[in-house]
Amino acid sequence: MARLRHTDWPDRLWIVRHGQSAGNVARDAAELANTHLIDIDTRDADTPLSALGHRQAQALGEWFADLPHNRRPNVLLTSPFVRAQQTVHAVADALGIDRDEIGVDERLREKEFGILDRYTVAGIRATFPELAEQRALVGKFYFRPPGGESWCDVILRLRSVLEVLRRDHVGDRVLIVGHQVIVNCFRYLLECMDERQILDTDRQADVPNCSVTEYAIDRDTPDARFELRVANFALPLEEAGAPVTVEADVPVGPR
């Protein structure tokens, strides 16, 4: 992994995927039944956490609260989507941070699936065979469904988020709550990956709900670098008694 050479970064950065959502549950049921559409009556932005997702978010908050005071997040940023906000609210409550202090940033929103939203894999193949063929040819990194985004589009908006971190949050301890593709695209940027590396990483391990990916810099070390400390760390949730859930990254439905 290449190491970022600049020191104008937060002291720590945690990137977390939201807890299990009602959309995750509905999509699992649709995939299991081999149906073409995901049965959910909310738009993606309004899809809330499931009951399990709320427990996972609470366990995540308890894990952060157990850290020494000078190691806890002091800046909270989140996707505007309901499931992400509910997750970060649980952390803020556990840390005694006023919810009004949470930064809500539309650049952290889920990847937009456009015309393919709410369709299962089987549904895409049956309803949009030409798009399924195009995605297979182009690859998931560059494929942009009509009305939606590619991974590159997401990466483009996240580049400006990193500039804000380096401008406004040097020395802070920042928690970002987003979505599976958001976690992976941040990793692409922060670990200086290329297309092959990030897609290999994506294939090797899905991002569990409420798992922690952490970057940090040790400013007392000569030639200090801002670098990865842990990726997709889900053990604290298991210790707290909340099961870890993993959803495969497919360009369908809410996540």
Side-chain angles (χ1 to χ4, degrees), residues 70-90:
N70 64 354
R71 292 279 303 278
R72 300 174 187 172
N74 69 310
V75 175
L76 306 183
L77 303 174
T78 183
S79 158
F81 283 26
V82 168
R83 55 193 180 274
Q85 291 201 59
Q86 289 176 327
T87 301
V88 79
H89 286 169

Side-chain angles (χ1 to χ4, degrees), residues 44 81 83 108-112 149 157 179 255:
D44 194 15
F81 283 26
R83 55 193 180 274
L108 301 174
R109 70 188 185 277
E110 173 64 290
K111 183 171 81 73
E112 296 178 2
E149 294 179 297
R157 53 178 156 98
H179 308 267
R255 183 163 314 133

Side-chain angles (χ1 to χ4, degrees), residues 27-254:
R27 188 184 61 188
D28 284 349
E31 295 283 2
L32 185 62
N34 200 34
T35 57
H36 289 180
L37 286 172
I38 297 169
D39 183 16
I40 191 164
D41 58 6
T42 58
R43 65 173 185 156
D44 194 15
D46 297 329
T47 301
L49 294 178
S50 66
L52 173 57
H54 279 291
R55 295 198 300 273
Q56 291 172 331
Q58 181 180 3
L60 179 70
E62 292 170 356
W63 180 74
F64 276 116
D66 284 341
L67 295 176
H69 192 271
N70 64 354
R71 292 279 303 278
R72 300 174 187 172
N74 69 310
V75 175
L76 306 183
L77 303 174
T78 183
S79 158
F81 283 26
V82 168
R83 55 193 180 274
Q85 291 201 59
Q86 289 176 327
T87 301
V88 79
H89 286 169
V91 176
D93 293 349
L95 296 178
I97 296 175
D98 194 310
R99 292 184 182 184
D100 290 339
E101 297 180 15
I102 298 170
V104 179
D105 193 323
E106 77 286 344
R107 293 171 296 183
L108 301 174
R109 70 188 185 277
E110 173 64 290
K111 183 171 81 73
E112 296 178 2
F113 299 111
I115 197 173
L116 302 184
D117 190 32
R118 295 178 184 266
Y119 282 87
T120 62
V121 173
I124 292 174
R125 290 171 179 163
T127 311
F128 306 103
E130 292 181 356
L131 289 180
E133 183 179 350
Q134 182 188 26
R135 181 182 183 275
L137 176 65
V138 173
K140 68 188 295 182
F141 190 75
Y142 291 108
F143 174 69
R144 179 191 293 130
E149 294 179 297
S150 68
W151 278 41
C152 291
D153 294 323
V154 176
I155 287 166
L156 181 61
R157 53 178 156 98
L158 294 183
R159 287 187 185 278
S160 63
V161 175
L162 293 185
E163 290 304 311
V164 171
L165 293 180
R166 295 176 62 182
R167 183 191 69 205
D168 297 340
H169 297 295
V170 176
D172 281 331
R173 301 177 302 278
V174 180
L175 167 63
I176 291 176
V177 177
H179 308 267
Q180 174 159 267
V181 174
I182 294 297
V183 175
N184 281 329
C185 288
F186 267 125
R187 292 196 63 188
Y188 170 87
L189 291 169
L190 291 168
E191 297 171 45
C192 304
M193 295 184 183
D194 58 23
E195 176 192 4
R196 179 189 59 78
Q197 290 170 318
I198 190 55
L199 293 184
D200 284 348
T201 298
D202 178 60
R203 279 189 292 268
Q204 291 167 9
D206 295 321
V207 179
N209 293 107
C210 278
S211 63
V212 176
T213 295
E214 180 183 358
Y215 298 84
I217 183 169
D218 184 356
R219 300 187 188 278
D220 295 328
T221 300
D223 195 31
R225 294 291 186 268
F226 187 71
E227 55 192 354
L228 180 71
R229 296 299 174 86
V230 64
N232 300 340
F233 183 51
L235 181 61
L237 305 184
E238 294 173 319
E239 290 173 343
V244 173
T245 55
V246 177
E247 304 291 339
D249 178 22
V250 294
V252 294

